[in-house]
Amino acid sequence: MTTDIEPVEKFRTRARNWLRANMPPAPSVAPPSDTEVAWDRARQLQRMLHDGGFAGICFPAEYGGLGLTADHQDAFTDESIPYEMPLLLNVPTLAICAASLLDLGTEEQKRTHLPAVLRGDEILVQFLSEPRGGSDLAGLTSRADRDGDRWILNGSKIWSSGAYAADYALCLARTDWSVPKHHGLTLFLVPVHAEGVTVRRIKQVTGSTEFCQEFFDDVELPADAVVGRVGAGWEAASRLLVHERAALGGTSPYTSGARPHLGGEADQLLRLAKATGQWDNSRVREDIGEARAMNVVRDQLISHVTKAITTGALPPAAGAIPRLFSAENAWLQTDTAVRIAGPMAATHTRGDGADTETVGLDYLFRAAWSLAGGSTEMARNVISERVLGMPRESAADRDVPFSEVPHGR
Ligand SMILES: Cc1cc2nc3c(=O)[nH]c(=O)nc-3n(C[C@H](O)[C@H](O)[C@H](O)COP(=O)(O)OP(=O)(O)OC[C@H]3O[C@@H](n4cnc5c(N)ncnc54)[C@H](O)[C@@H]3O)c2cc1C
């Protein structure tokens, strides 16, 4: 069988020329991501990629993508780094939600939503975590009850990134309380602005209002809002979590442009050392060397694990390895930046050429890297149980009908 896929290097050259001619340079300081303006800009940039023929590199052509390989995506990502890209849409819209719809959606869901996402017309988010705790996802208590040929959704979700700006959410709800917790769940595609959905924004310690909490009061969903099968929500969520770990670990091929980096790069540390007069301090140089080495290891690990998952040498759950490493590295990078910046990390001097205004904020936000996409403790559990084959953690509620599990007391 012959294949007419464009060679990666030819694609790279074409992408480089197109990016140079069409995309604006990347802003020197990332703008706040919690404004409507930022989301509108991301939609616009995604539309430019789409119209230029560079959206959805690894999404199949029948759903609006290019049907190319992860190597094409990597080449495009490399070339796109100097340019302003719709990075806000990477996580969760493209790399998690659209990737999950591709795996799990009906033909109609895929034909309706994937081209719209790739055009920048639809933003998708995740409604998974609940106020009672996000790690025990299978123990969630938001409910969808069947009413004729529709579903009625009630409950609450929390920590939903960017929900205020979104169009649809992948929402996991309990549809059967008579079976053990993993068996009574269903995944739904919920219009964020449907009647009965209230979205409230949450203010973080950094001042950002990117997170939301949602309340569902008798939200009506049609039968075709189900993603996958009724009662098979855990299998669907597990697939979604594989994409989430890949996205957070930097191994997802379903992005537009540079992958999100967890933690600053060593170049920022160099600028900080210069701006604070510590260029010749051997301790600072050692710290920067360590930080740079960790970034090299991170990139190598991402590349190695991605290839191993693609060839089947490692299971998809191995995405938890770079996810864990990336979080540990983000802490190291932000802590090193604060050590070098010293008091400047708190004073946020604008325009000092050393990005000190981001150092303090990155430090305050660093705990998020250990929680987003499932906590690092849960990543360790995944690695031990599903990669290394160690015994499962014991759980008193695993084989008990969920209605008999004490909760909320
Ligand atoms: C930046 C960011 C973006 C996010 N975006 C979204 C989003 O878009 N949609 C969404 O639904 N959620 C989102 N979340 C929520 C995230 O998924 C949860 O924070 C995460 O799953 C942990 O849940 P929790 O915060 O409720 O902590 P809990 O589940 O209450 O856990 C508290 C602590 O106990 C530990 N722990 C719990 N159970 C175990 C166990 N069995 N073994 C070992 N340790 C355990 C945890 O590791 C954690 O340290 C986001 C979070 C962050 C930080």
Side-chain angles (χ1 to χ4, degrees):
M1 198 176 85
T2 56
T3 164
D4 53 4
I5 283 193
E6 184 177 6
V8 173
E9 285 314 309
K10 198 171 163 213
F11 176 78
R12 179 193 288 276
T13 308
R14 198 161 61 78
R16 183 184 304 149
N17 292 337
W18 183 85
L19 284 160
R20 193 186 300 135
N22 293 282
M23 295 306 273
S28 53
V29 177
S33 60
D34 60 345
T35 63
E36 301 280 354
V37 174
W39 287 96
D40 287 347
R41 179 67 178 156
R43 286 178 191 258
Q44 199 185 0
L45 292 165
Q46 180 67 30
R47 183 63 184 237
M48 287 160 75
L49 291 183
H50 177 269
D51 293 351
F54 287 99
I57 291 167
C58 289
F59 285 91
E62 62 266 39
Y63 306 126
L66 304 189
L68 295 175
T69 67
D71 288 340
H72 291 81
Q73 176 64 57
D74 283 347
F76 184 82
T77 298
D78 284 349
E79 298 299 329
S80 72
I81 290 193
Y83 301 99
E84 185 184 9
M85 302 299 288
L87 302 184
L88 264 185
L89 301 191
N90 280 352
V91 178
T93 296
L94 285 160
I96 303 177
C97 299
S100 301
L101 266 187
L102 183 61
D103 291 347
L104 304 163
T106 60
E107 193 56 24
E108 195 189 334
Q109 285 167 340
K110 290 193 271 197
R111 288 196 184 274
T112 306
H113 296 285
L114 296 180
V117 165
L118 296 178
R119 278 195 309 270
D121 288 346
E122 264 184 30
I123 290 174
L124 309 178
V125 292
Q126 311 174 83
F127 288 172
L128 302 177
S129 306
E130 300 194 350
R132 49 168 292 288
S135 298
D136 180 23
L137 185 59
L140 60 80
T141 54
S142 284
R143 61 188 303 149
D145 298 294
R146 210 192 277 267
D147 178 29
D149 59 358
R150 58 185 194 152
W151 295 89
I152 307 296
L153 178 66
N154 280 286
S156 178
K157 297 286 177 178
I158 196 166
W159 312 126
S160 326
S161 310
Y164 65 92
D167 302 289
Y168 287 88
L170 287 172
C171 176
L172 196 60
R174 189 163 302 284
T175 45
D176 186 350
W177 297 65
S178 68
V179 291
K181 64 178 183 178
H182 290 92
H183 302 294
L185 302 169
T186 302
L187 189 67
F188 293 90
L189 192 60
V190 175
V192 174
H193 304 290
E195 206 180 323
V197 180
T198 306
V199 179
R200 292 219 184 114
R201 296 176 72 168
I202 301 169
K203 189 163 185 179
Q204 296 169 56
V205 66
T206 56
S208 165
T209 52
E210 188 185 335
F211 285 136
C212 299
Q213 178 168 10
E214 300 77 30
F215 300 89
F216 311 123
D217 294 298
D218 292 331
V219 179
E220 285 184 28
L221 299 172
D224 63 8
V226 171
V227 179
R229 282 182 300 107
V230 173
W234 185 249
E235 289 76 5
S238 301
R239 192 66 208 142
L240 185 146
L241 293 177
V242 166
H243 286 299
E244 185 171 67
R245 281 191 288 272
L248 271 290
T251 59
S252 171
Y254 298 109
T255 56
S256 280
R259 295 180 180 123
H261 269 305
L262 303 183
E265 293 301 315
D267 286 352
Q268 185 205 17
L269 300 180
L270 290 176
R271 286 197 299 278
L272 269 178
K274 278 185 187 154
T276 53
Q278 300 178 85
W279 186 240
D280 293 325
N281 181 323
S282 57
R283 175 65 208 272
V284 168
R285 285 177 164 236
E286 257 176 45
D287 280 354
I288 294 176
E290 186 189 356
R292 180 158 284 210
M294 288 291 277
N295 284 340
V296 172
V297 172
R298 175 202 60 200
D299 292 346
Q300 292 291 316
L301 188 69
I302 287 172
S303 156
H304 177 73
V305 173
T306 309
K307 284 202 182 83
I309 293 174
T310 312
T311 60
L314 280 173
I321 299 170
R323 184 267 171 276
L324 173 59
F325 188 89
S326 295
E328 299 283 326
N329 185 39
W331 279 67
L332 179 124
Q333 302 289 336
T334 48
D335 288 357
T336 306
V338 167
R339 231 180 8 253
I340 298 173
M344 283 171 82
T347 53
H348 303 166
T349 314
R350 274 185 188 268
D352 59 6
D355 302 341
T356 48
E357 58 182 304
T358 63
V359 172
L361 289 175
D362 284 351
Y363 179 81
L364 289 176
F365 190 71
R366 81 205 206 293
W369 298 127
S370 306
L371 288 167
S375 70
T376 42
E377 287 88 355
M378 298 309 283
R380 286 178 205 276
N381 287 351
V382 169
I383 294 166
S384 66
E385 294 174 13
R386 285 188 249 155
V387 181
L388 301 176
M390 292 166 78
R392 283 187 78 172
E393 185 183 20
S394 70
D397 60 357
R398 187 163 288 140
D399 297 317
V400 183
F402 195 73
S403 53
E404 292 172 23
V405 175
H407 52 263
R409 291 183 198 155

